[in-house]
Amino acid sequence: MKILICYATTEGQTRKIARFCADQLFAGGHNVEVLAVNDAEALDLAGFDAAILAGSVHIGRLQRELATFAEASAPALNGLPTKLLVVSLSAAGGEKSEMDDLDRMVQAFCHETGWTPGAVHHVAGAFRFTEYDFFKFWALRWIAARKGQKVDPNADMEYTDWAVLADLLKDWPGPQSPA
C-alpha cells in the first residue's frame, strides 16, 4: 500500500514521530511518503491507499496549517483508512482533565475541518529546552514544576513511548494487496 504521512511541527518532535512511523510502515512492506504539511499543499491524495496526519498541540490547538490541509483534503481523507496523531505534553501525564481537554480539541478540529479520522492517538511529546526562546523556556519550566517534574533546563526531555507508537502501526492499515 502507498501511505501518506503528513505532519506539522513546531519544535521537531512531530517530525521525528512522523519519520518513525514511516520507518515502521516501510518495514511492514508499505510504500511511504512523508511530507511537511506546507509541502503537501497541492497534493493529489488519489494515489494513496491510507494516510496519517500528525500535529502538535500549542495553546490548545493543532497547527493552523494542518487544519487547512485537513479541511482541503477532507473528502479524500474521509474515503481512506486514516489516523490522526496528536502530539502533546499533556499525553505524557495522562491526567483525566487534560485528556478530556485534548479530546474536546480533537472534536473541534474534526468539526472545523470536516475530516473524521479513522483513529485518533495521543502521543507524548518532548521538552526542547535547548531550542526555546527566553519566555518559552521559563513558561515550560514553570509548567513542569507545577506538575512535579524535575527537569534539567540544559537538556531536552523526550516522553514519546516509541514501543506504544510502533504497536499502533502494527497491521495498519491492513495487509498489502497482492500486485
Side-chain angles (χ1 to χ4, degrees):
M1 297 184 113
K2 187 169 182 184
I3 301 171
L4 171 67
I5 300 176
C6 192
Y7 68 91
T9 192
T10 302
E11 285 125 14
Q13 187 67 13
T14 305
R15 177 179 46 251
K16 186 174 180 180
I17 289 166
R19 289 182 177 159
F20 176 85
C21 291
D23 290 344
Q24 296 297 303
L25 292 166
F26 182 76
H30 300 289
N31 294 317
V32 183
E33 186 166 348
V34 181
L35 290 172
V37 71
N38 292 333
D39 296 332
E41 232 174 71
L43 186 66
D44 180 8
L45 297 182
F48 293 95
D49 301 305
I52 295 174
L53 270 58
S56 53
V57 176
H58 295 274
I59 312 171
R61 297 183 57 93
L62 289 167
Q63 287 94 341
R64 180 73 230 151
E65 60 268 25
L66 188 68
T68 299
F69 176 80
E71 183 176 12
S73 305
L77 288 169
N78 285 328
L80 297 173
T82 58
K83 288 185 179 287
L84 173 62
L85 302 181
V86 179
V87 180
S88 70
L89 288 169
S90 295
E95 292 179 22
K96 182 172 177 11
S97 64
E98 290 182 351
M99 297 309 291
D100 289 346
D101 287 343
L102 286 173
D103 288 339
R104 280 189 289 280
M105 185 221 45
V106 167
Q107 288 174 357
F109 176 86
C110 293
H111 178 74
E112 173 186 325
T113 63
W115 172 46
T116 304
V120 175
H121 301 287
H122 296 286
V123 181
F127 280 122
R128 296 273 182 238
F129 289 112
T130 60
E131 298 176 25
Y132 298 152
D133 65 24
F134 177 81
F135 295 106
K136 191 168 199 174
F137 174 88
W138 284 104
L140 289 171
R141 276 195 71 188
W142 179 77
I143 290 169
R146 266 190 46 211
K147 297 198 173 276
Q149 290 282 330
K150 293 187 188 243
V151 296
D152 178 354
N154 300 309
D156 295 338
M157 182 162 228
E158 189 173 85
Y159 294 97
T160 305
D161 189 330
W162 301 106
V164 167
L165 189 54
D167 282 345
L168 294 175
L169 299 168
K170 279 186 183 163
D171 302 322
W172 185 85
Q176 213 170 338
S177 303

